[in-house]
Amino acid sequence: MLLQKKMTQSFIAAAIGVSASTVSRELKRNSNGKGVYSSHVATLKARRRKSRNPGNRSIVAGVRSRVFELIRSEQWSPEEVSGWLGKEEGMKVSKSTIYNCIASCSPHHKDNIRRHLRHGGRKGKASRKSGGCTIPNRISIDNRPVEADGQRIGDWEMDTIVGKDGKGAIVTLVERKSCYMLMEKLETGKQALPLAHAVVRLLREAGLPVRTITTDNGSEFAAHELIERELGTTVYFAHPYSSWEKGAIENMNGLIRQYIPKKTDFRGLSNTFIAHVMLKLNNRPRKKNQFNKPIDMVKKNFP
């Protein structure tokens, strides 16, 4: 309408709230051979261009098949799948596109892809862990050296997960930089001394540096001095109800729950299955490390 009134491009740009160069490009792109601009023709051309360049809104069958294969076989998140495919297999697909593909699948299909995801399509509920136990000779995280910031190999976080009705326990450890994890089922539950011996054995067998260990104030870590003495390290304790101070292990425990859901009876878990879960998670690409796998990072630094 403004063109028909012989208005300048700069006036039109100011009137519709865009730059003058935008108006210039619009006229150049959508005018006919005689230089006449038609809004109807412009709309048709825009639709044709959009159909030829669907961008990240669509996903070709081969890529979709590979995405679903990784989710089913490895239980990776859409973000991990997106990062790994882009880094290792040259397939460009965003996590949003993957989520949209999953959402378009019927939940009633016999092989529902949602059941292979960490949360199964459901939102998790926040929980609070008890942190009021008094542990003798504990050293606060306030005293942890500043260089133990997760930028070097050797700073660990430690925790436990418990089974159905609070019976049975698994001790978990994660190396903060590489996200390499260790875990072992504790036949004696959350007893402090057996747990300490298990931690010492796991870290010695891993053959990785142990510069620091950070954990919470659970009574199962009361034998922390044994760990310190045997491994020549220091165990630091987070503040009560401050799970973010040991975020690496909290996140790892969430990933473990993908394989060992809450209310699982740990008596039915074999050591072979525990080893299988540990292998799965150490072969899972991590976003914080540019989608490198923890096991590859460890082998690269400590072959």
Side-chain angles (χ1 to χ4, degrees), residues 1-19:
M1 292 173 61
L2 293 174
L3 282 173
Q4 291 173 0
K5 294 181 179 180
K6 308 298 183 181
M7 298 298 180
T8 64
Q9 292 184 17
S10 59
F11 181 89
I12 295 172
I16 63 177
V18 299
S19 70

Side-chain angles (χ1 to χ4, degrees), residues 93-114:
V93 55
S94 74
K95 66 175 183 179
S96 297
T97 299
I98 298 175
Y99 275 117
N100 290 338
C101 284
I102 293 170
S104 67
C105 296
S106 170
H108 305 294
H109 192 273
K110 63 180 181 180
D111 187 17
N112 180 13
I113 192 67
R114 292 173 179 81

Side-chain angles (χ1 to χ4, degrees), residues 63-182:
V63 176
R64 184 181 186 275
S65 176
R66 179 60 175 150
V67 165
F68 279 22
E69 177 189 356
L70 287 173
I71 293 176
R72 289 191 178 101
S73 63
E74 302 298 335
Q75 295 79 50
W76 293 353
S77 71
E79 185 174 50
E80 291 164 345
V81 170
S82 171
W84 177 258
L85 290 179
K87 176 178 178 292
E88 298 293 336
E89 301 185 22
M91 297 183 183
K92 302 296 184 181
V93 55
S94 74
K95 66 175 183 179
S96 297
T97 299
I98 298 175
Y99 275 117
N100 290 338
C101 284
I102 293 170
S104 67
C105 296
S106 170
H108 305 294
H109 192 273
K110 63 180 181 180
D111 187 17
N112 180 13
I113 192 67
R114 292 173 179 81
R115 68 185 179 87
H116 299 283
L117 295 173
R118 175 176 171 182
H119 296 298
R122 299 183 300 275
K123 291 184 178 179
K125 295 181 179 179
S127 62
R128 295 184 76 181
K129 296 187 69 174
S130 174
C133 175
T134 301
I135 296 177
N137 302 319
R138 64 184 293 279
I139 302 175
S140 171
I141 194 173
D142 294 333
N143 301 114
R144 191 175 68 181
V146 293
E147 55 267 24
D149 58 355
Q151 299 303 309
R152 63 181 185 180
I153 297 287
D155 295 305
W156 296 79
E157 292 180 9
M158 174 172 63
D159 205 357
T160 56
I161 57 176
V162 297
K164 183 179 180 181
D165 300 324
K167 298 178 180 178
I170 295 173
V171 62
T172 58
L173 296 121
V174 64
E175 199 283 314
R176 295 179 66 195
K177 178 174 175 59
S178 65
C179 299
Y180 188 79
M181 64 89 62
L182 304 168

Side-chain angles (χ1 to χ4, degrees), residues 184-229:
E184 181 175 310
K185 178 182 173 183
L186 301 170
E187 300 296 342
T188 55
K190 295 173 69 174
Q191 294 183 25
L193 199 57
L195 181 145
H197 285 298
V199 168
V200 170
R201 182 175 61 257
L202 283 170
L203 289 173
R204 280 180 174 169
E205 290 176 354
L208 299 175
V210 184
R211 306 179 194 275
T212 65
I213 301 175
T214 303
T215 189
D216 60 26
N217 296 272
S219 60
E220 64 268 32
F221 304 118
H224 64 95
E225 291 176 294
L226 186 149
I227 298 174
E228 294 173 332
R229 183 171 62 253

